[in-house]
């Protein structure tokens, strides 16, 4: 959410499943959803989109400032739109990560509670 707030321009989050689409929709409540059951309601003027990987090709006519790909250890979806910056998120990267945020970091930031406390 913090990355999307500082992006200057249109933002896209790509998720691999309808379940994750619903979870992201709770965080990005103002976002245009793209995927199962939402494809006939695409708001082409929206600034934020959340799309299921299998439907992201519907947005290939748009250009994004940032694209965030959840579960990015899987191959990128076909028809992924262009973006100024693409961020890949995964708990199982096979490459060196661009950014690390450990459980300890989340506990120290107050996002998670210490399970020993």
């Amino acid at each position: 959410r913090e990355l999307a707030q500082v992006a200057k321009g249109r933002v896209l989050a790509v998720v691999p499943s309808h379940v994750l689409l619903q979870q992201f929709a709770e965080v990005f409540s103002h976002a245009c959803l793209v995927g199962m059951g939402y494809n006939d309601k695409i708001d082409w003027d929206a600034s934020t989109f959340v799309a299921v990987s299998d439907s992201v090709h519907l947005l290939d006519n748009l250009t994004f400032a940032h694209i965030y790909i959840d579960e990015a250890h899987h191959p990128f979806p076909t028809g992924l739109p262009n973006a100024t910056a693409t961020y890949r998120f995964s708990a199982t990267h096979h490459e060196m990560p661009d950014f690390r945020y450990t459980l300890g970091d989340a506990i120290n930031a107050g996002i998670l509670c210490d399970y020993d406390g």
Side-chain angles (χ1 to χ4, degrees), residues 40-62:
D40 60 344
K41 303 171 193 156
I42 297 174
D43 176 4
W44 299 105
D45 296 321
S47 62
T48 304
F49 292 80
V50 180
V52 175
S53 300
D54 289 344
S55 296
V56 76
H57 67 278
L58 298 171
L59 304 174
D60 68 356
N61 60 322
L62 300 176

Side-chain angles (χ1 to χ4, degrees), residues 7-28:
K8 304 242 187 296
R10 191 175 278 146
V11 173
L12 168 62
V14 181
V15 296
S17 71
H18 194 265
V19 171
L20 287 171
L21 179 72
Q22 295 304 321
Q23 290 176 359
F24 271 66
E26 292 174 15
V27 175
F28 296 101

